[in-house]
């Protein structure tokens, strides 16, 4: 009796997440989680800060969101340790049963598909703008076939996105996550520099005030801000790939990642809402504004 194994007693053996390849360092986990949260939501924060009616209300919404988001990431790490699963849908299946697990897999697949379509749409728009800036000629001129996103987007997906999606181990993403984070920091830096080095003779759009016009506008931006910090899809895989797995350490990684994300979002939101347009000679001319409509 004492020498019987769980299989001999007819009990399923729970997989141990520690048996998976644990090659991800703490710094790599921070960057992967940070880049999982950073994305197209960055373009919406200038609009969110302006819609909230003030800097303080927008920051309060961010801080409240961080409390729930960090708590959720810690709970996901604990659930992964308890269930012994290495994926988000596996954790749900292990704790809630196979029926709920299959429903979670379907919802997870649809969620990732819709997010991928949204990101590809943004990438396609930015590729067209990049090609227009590189090609000579006036904007009304017809765009060459090789500059159309119907050609550039499949080419980029085949040469870049597909090879990066091939490795099964998420630790590989730490290198691309560092590049993606630097790109997001560059965007926030450019907006901040443009805000303070505004050309002489141009009147800057007034930035967001310090108090909200109404609390209704504050609550209306809550979904936009929460979407910007969304990273729970990859949380379980990141936790199970870490070399040092403890809830306290995972909580620290989650907190550092989302605080870095909050800093980038706040700089972009505050300064981006003040460089959305300019006034020349009493007539306002709209420049490129970072808002949900621009995505």
């Amino acid at each position: 009796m004492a020498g019987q194994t769980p299989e001999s007693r007819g009990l399923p053996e729970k997989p141990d997440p520690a048996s998976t390849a644990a090659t991800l360092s703490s710094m790599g986990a921070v960057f992967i989680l940070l880049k999982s949260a950073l994305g197209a939501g960055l373009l919406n924060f200038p609009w969110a800060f302006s819609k909230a009616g003030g800097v303080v209300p927008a920051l309060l919404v961010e801080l409240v969101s961080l409390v729930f988001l960090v708590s959720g990431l810690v709970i996901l790490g604990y659930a992964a340790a308890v269930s012994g699963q290495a994926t988000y849908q596996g954790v749900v299946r292990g704790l809630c049963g196979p029926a709920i697990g299959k429903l979670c897999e379907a919802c997870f697949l649809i969620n990732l598909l819709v997010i991928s379509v949204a990101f590809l749409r943004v990438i396609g728009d930015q590729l067209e703008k990049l090609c227009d800036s590189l090609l000579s000629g006036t904007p009304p001129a017809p765009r060459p076939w090789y500059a159309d996103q119907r050609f550039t987007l499949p080419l980029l997906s085949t040469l870049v996105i597909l090879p990066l999606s091939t490795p099964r181990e998420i630790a590989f993403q730490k290198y691309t996550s560092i590049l993606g984070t630097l790109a997001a920091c560059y965007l926030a830096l450019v907006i901040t520099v443009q805000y303070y080095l505004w050309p002489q003779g141009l009147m800057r759009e007034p930035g967001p005030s310090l108090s909200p016009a109404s609390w209704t506008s504050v609550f209306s931006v809550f979904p936009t801000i929460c979407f910007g910090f969304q990273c729970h899809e990859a949380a379980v895989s990141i936790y199970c790939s870490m070399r040092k797995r403890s809830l306290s350490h995972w909580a620290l990684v989650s907190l550092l990642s989302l605080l870095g994300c909050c800093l980038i979002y706040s700089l972009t939101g505050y300064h981006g809402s003040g460089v959305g347009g300019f006034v020349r000679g009493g007539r306002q001319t709209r420049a490129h504004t970072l808002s949900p409509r621009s995505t």
Side-chain angles (χ1 to χ4, degrees), residues 45-54 58 205-209 217 221 269 273:
F45 268 75
W47 172 86
F49 268 63
S50 179
K51 180 68 174 178
E205 256 192 9
S209 60
S217 60
V221 302
S273 60

Side-chain angles (χ1 to χ4, degrees), residues 13 74 103 146 294:
E13 184 180 9
V74 173
L103 178 61
Y146 53 84
S294 66

